[in-house]
Amino acid sequence: MTGAEADECIAIVARIGPVILSTVPASRKGPDASQLRHAVGAMMAQAGELLASHGFSEAMRSCLDQARLAGATLTSMGEVRLAALEEKLVSLPATLTVLCIIRLCLAQEARIVGEMVFTSRDDASNTATEITAAFSDAAEVASDDLDAGSYMAIINLQATVVKRLVDVGRSLPRVITYSYAGVMPALTMAQRAYADADRAQELIDENKVVHPAFMPMTGRMLAV
């Protein structure tokens, strides 16, 4: 790696580091958040050495893993991947560095999806659509850069994640629309729709109701 190539890679790490930190609110306290800040700081400070010794991949994996443990969401982890995709690359080492970041982000996104709890078939389906788009974008970049190893790793992981979401979705109720003649409390609607007032919170969450005493006359609900 030439000096110019090394400088390009180090600059990428310097830009990605703060994005990783932003996956978790700055106000977040606790050992996981503290370890995240320490890991990202160390990676940025030692970027040149890590890239030269081929230790960057493990350092980045550790940072992203710590971000997930500290509370990074599917959306916030995706922001790291998108930031890497937006890099304007010149050299091959820089391209490989970005592909490494993208692949590791996707692995973390897959783990986050694996820990998510879905309430409806629609939730699982929407997440499958979102994650498919993310993997497809990354696979296209790997294909364009003729990185067969990264391409196959991305495609295989995508298949695993989507299959899991499809399997989970099959066991969940569908979201349907409802229509009632008047406004009523969530407890009353739950009793009428499900014969179970304990399901009122489902109706509140699905319709983003401001006050549970005033459910909209038309909205969304889980199928019985």
Side-chain angles (χ1 to χ4, degrees), residues 85-98:
L85 281 169
E86 290 173 359
E87 287 287 338
K88 307 301 182 185
L89 307 172
V90 176
S91 67
L92 177 60
T95 299
L96 295 177
T97 298
V98 163

Side-chain angles (χ1 to χ4, degrees), residues 42-138:
M43 180 185 68
M44 293 173 66
Q46 302 167 17
E49 298 173 20
L50 291 169
L51 290 160
S53 64
H54 304 291
F56 171 71
S57 178
E58 178 57 27
M60 176 59 70
R61 184 205 62 77
S62 180
C63 288
L64 295 174
D65 199 44
Q66 199 60 54
R68 178 179 56 81
L69 292 173
T73 65
L74 184 61
T75 299
S76 63
M77 188 65 74
E79 291 297 329
V80 182
R81 172 177 45 79
L82 291 174
L85 281 169
E86 290 173 359
E87 287 287 338
K88 307 301 182 185
L89 307 172
V90 176
S91 67
L92 177 60
T95 299
L96 295 177
T97 298
V98 163
L99 283 173
C100 173
I101 296 169
I102 292 171
R103 190 172 65 248
L104 291 172
C105 284
L106 287 171
Q108 292 296 334
E109 289 173 78
R111 294 188 68 176
I112 291 171
V113 169
E115 296 168 357
M116 291 172 67
V117 177
F118 301 97
T119 59
S120 72
R121 193 176 306 176
D122 298 63
D123 287 342
S125 177
N126 290 339
T127 300
T129 299
E130 179 182 348
I131 205 74
T132 295
F135 275 95
S136 296
D137 289 345

Side-chain angles (χ1 to χ4, degrees), residues 66-224:
Q66 199 60 54
R68 178 179 56 81
L69 292 173
T73 65
L74 184 61
T75 299
S76 63
M77 188 65 74
E79 291 297 329
V80 182
R81 172 177 45 79
L82 291 174
L85 281 169
E86 290 173 359
E87 287 287 338
K88 307 301 182 185
L89 307 172
V90 176
S91 67
L92 177 60
T95 299
L96 295 177
T97 298
V98 163
L99 283 173
C100 173
I101 296 169
I102 292 171
R103 190 172 65 248
L104 291 172
C105 284
L106 287 171
Q108 292 296 334
E109 289 173 78
R111 294 188 68 176
I112 291 171
V113 169
E115 296 168 357
M116 291 172 67
V117 177
F118 301 97
T119 59
S120 72
R121 193 176 306 176
D122 298 63
D123 287 342
S125 177
N126 290 339
T127 300
T129 299
E130 179 182 348
I131 205 74
T132 295
F135 275 95
S136 296
D137 289 345
E140 183 178 351
V141 171
S143 176
D144 289 345
D145 290 315
L146 303 179
D147 187 339
S150 291
Y151 178 81
M152 290 308 302
I154 290 168
I155 292 299
N156 290 335
L157 184 56
Q158 176 185 356
T160 300
V161 175
V162 172
K163 181 180 184 303
R164 189 258 174 185
L165 288 168
V166 170
D167 290 344
V168 168
R170 288 198 185 102
S171 67
L172 296 171
R174 293 178 298 107
V175 172
I176 59 175
T177 57
Y178 71 78
S179 179
Y180 288 104
V183 174
M184 66 182 76
L187 287 171
T188 303
M189 186 178 289
Q191 184 63 41
R192 181 172 298 186
Y194 305 119
D196 183 0
D198 290 340
R199 297 184 66 175
Q201 192 61 47
E202 292 180 13
L203 294 167
I204 294 168
D205 294 341
E206 193 64 44
N207 294 282
K208 299 178 174 59
V209 176
V210 175
H211 196 293
F214 303 98
M215 291 293 297
M217 290 186 290
T218 59
R220 293 157 48 93
M221 68 192 313
L222 299 182
V224 178

